């Protein structure tokens, strides 16, 4: 009898110690790896209905999803720069001024005062590393190594097609003087360390564009070997240049996908590279304390089909429709994230900041890096990842380049759409879209009230329920107006930074010009002056 009692006591003590060990493991600062591909379509991966069925198998990403959590309502932003800015800062892009794509020679970039994932994680003593596509400016103060990253490798500053401008094979009709100017304005592939100037490793050629991601992952694996020997936690932000148009697959993948298309080849190559990273994590024995997030910056760029990903949703990259912002996403952490789990909760790249900070045990700053009050738009996704409670987010705001108030809003299953750009072009089931009807199309706004959709019943946004013969959902405006007003109040408290790159803001019409002149005269009559238009680009 005493023997059985002793056995029971020892069993209980063992269980308690095991539970304590598991709790200690979840409290330990995990290694964090963020893997981002460019423009990859929501329907490209096997687990999202693509893969083998579309001639571009993705076994490594499919395995990652089967071993982790797959997201079905995960959001990026409508284009590259805002998508990456939102992820790296945890802020709506118009707050940081990073709302549109920057071309070479424009200078500027991510303001020095912004916090990034890296600079926040440095507060928790993380080692930090960046590689691949940055696309957040080319000024020295905007480099990854000026924003909390200890080291950067294989960094490209622009969208992939910017490097092809001067290739004679692409633009043989370009005048020599223009070609020389663009070449001079274009920085090459960069590397560097914090506290030192970035180094240009040489001009970008058609051949090294094709091998860019392969070469990058070679360096990623070496860096993982180094980090694997250290006891310090680390953060790696790995950014593939593909699948941005033009897709130039590596020589070992050219023509190798069943689809026999450059896009299909590039998807297969990207999946292979993800597999190399995942295999290295497993082989180093650090999987049980490493969380990996895979996602995409923005929705599929249907305007450049067939060199583009697939989305079943209405709209395209550059629009406020679901096709512009809903992206694939997978989270992987063996023993912590349930294998084969799925989430239909509203989450997005904005939420990585609060989530990573929580995992690292640090609070988000109340002020920016220059001591001025700031606002984060990031929600901790831990409850979703670990199934420990209700999600903190119930809404999503959609913005195109010049929008301060959102062009669309989602709350729960309801979505209100004000900006109808792209509606006559790239939508599911349409004929081949004209470029002027997609991202480059008119930014038009619906009159008086928005179109309202039930995204559970109608994820393609085909049936406006605001007023129809079946039912009417005018009551939703009470809710939408309230959350938009809450958002607009935050701008009054902490105004957005100046836009960091140029975009078309509409025509300078005679009436608009006269209004400005009349305002100047009124100010002069009251002996008031306007502040100068020039601002410190670092702010």
């Amino acid at each position: 009898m005493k023997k059985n009692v002793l056995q029971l006591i020892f069993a209980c003590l063992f269980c308690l110690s095991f539970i304590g060990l598991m709790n200690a493991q979840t409290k330990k600062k995990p290694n964090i790896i963020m893997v981002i591909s460019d423009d990859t379509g929501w329907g490209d991966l096997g687990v999202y209905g693509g893969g083998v069925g579309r001639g571009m198998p993705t076994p490594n990403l499919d395995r990652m999803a089967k071993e982790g959590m797959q997201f079905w309502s995960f959001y990026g932003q409508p284009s590259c720069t805002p998508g990456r800015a939102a992820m790296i800062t945890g802020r709506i892009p118009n707050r940081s001024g990073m709302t549109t794509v920057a071309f070479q020679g424009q200078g500027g970039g991510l303001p020095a005062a912004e916090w990034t994932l890296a600079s926040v994680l440095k507060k928790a003593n993380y080692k930090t590393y960046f590689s691949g596509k940055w696309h957040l400016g080319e000024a020295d103060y905007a480099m990854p190594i000026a924003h909390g990253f200890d080291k950067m490798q294989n960094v490209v500053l622009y969208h992939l097609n910017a490097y092809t401008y001067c290739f004679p094979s692409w633009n043989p009709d370009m005048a020599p003087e223009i070609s020389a100017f663009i070449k001079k304005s274009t920085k090459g592939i960069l590397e560097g360390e914090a506290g030192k100037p970035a180094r240009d490793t040489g001009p970008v050629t058609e051949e090294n564009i094709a091998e860019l991601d392969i070469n990058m992952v070679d360096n990623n694996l070496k860096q993982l070997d180094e980090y694997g020997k250290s006891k310090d936690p680390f953060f790696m932000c790995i950014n593939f240049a593909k699948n941005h148009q033009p897709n130039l697959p590596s020589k070992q993948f050219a023509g190798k996908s069943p689809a026999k298309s450059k896009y299909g080849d590039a998807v297969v190559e990207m999946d292979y590279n993800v597999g190399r990273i995942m295999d290295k994590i497993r082989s180093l024995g650090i999987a049980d304390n490493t969380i990996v997030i895979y996602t995409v910056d923005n929705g599929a760029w249907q305007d450049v089909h067939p060199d583009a990903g697939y989305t079943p949703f209405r709209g395209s990259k550059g629009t406020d429709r679901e096709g512009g912002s809903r992206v694939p996403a997978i989270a992987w952490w063996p023993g912590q994230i349930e294998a084969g789990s799925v989430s239909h909760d509203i989450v997005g790249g904005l939420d990585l900041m609060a989530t990573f900070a929580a995992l690292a045990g640090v609070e988000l700053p109340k002020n920016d890096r220059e001591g001025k009050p700031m606002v984060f738009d990031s929600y901790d996704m831990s409850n979703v990842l670990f199934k420990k409670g209700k999600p903190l987010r119930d809404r999503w705001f959609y913005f195109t380049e010049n929008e301060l108030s959102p062009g669309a809003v989602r709350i729960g299953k309801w979505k209100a759409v004000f900006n109808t750009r792209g509606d006559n072009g790239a939508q599911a089931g349409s004929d081949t879209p004209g470029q002027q009807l997609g991202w480059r199309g008119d930014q038009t706004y619906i009159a008086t009230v928005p179109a309202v959709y039930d995204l559970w019943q109608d994820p393609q946004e085909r049936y406006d329920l605001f007023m129809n013969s079946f039912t009417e959902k005018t009551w939703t405006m009470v809710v939408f107006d309230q959350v938009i007003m809450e958002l607009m109040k935050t701008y009054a408290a902490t105004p957005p930074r100046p836009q960091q790159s140029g975009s078309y803001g509409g025509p300078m019409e005679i009436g608009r010009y006269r209004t400005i002149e009349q305002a100047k005269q009124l100010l002069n009559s009251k002996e008031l002056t306007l502040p100068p238009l020039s601002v410190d680009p670092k702010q």
Side-chain angles (χ1 to χ4, degrees), residues 127-131 148-154 216 219-220 223 227 235-238:
K127 294 182 176 180
T128 54
Y129 174 89
F130 185 92
S131 67
F149 288 99
D150 300 326
K151 182 179 179 180
M152 67 182 198
Q153 288 183 302
N154 304 94
M216 177 187 73
N219 283 327
N220 296 160
Q223 190 63 51
Y227 282 155
F235 169 56
M236 296 182 73
C237 187
I238 300 170

Side-chain angles (χ1 to χ4, degrees), residues 465-478:
L465 297 176
F466 192 82
M467 288 182 182
N468 65 14
S469 58
F470 166 67
T471 185
E472 53 87 16
K473 301 299 180 184
T474 54
W475 61 265
T476 58
M477 279 310 299
V478 177

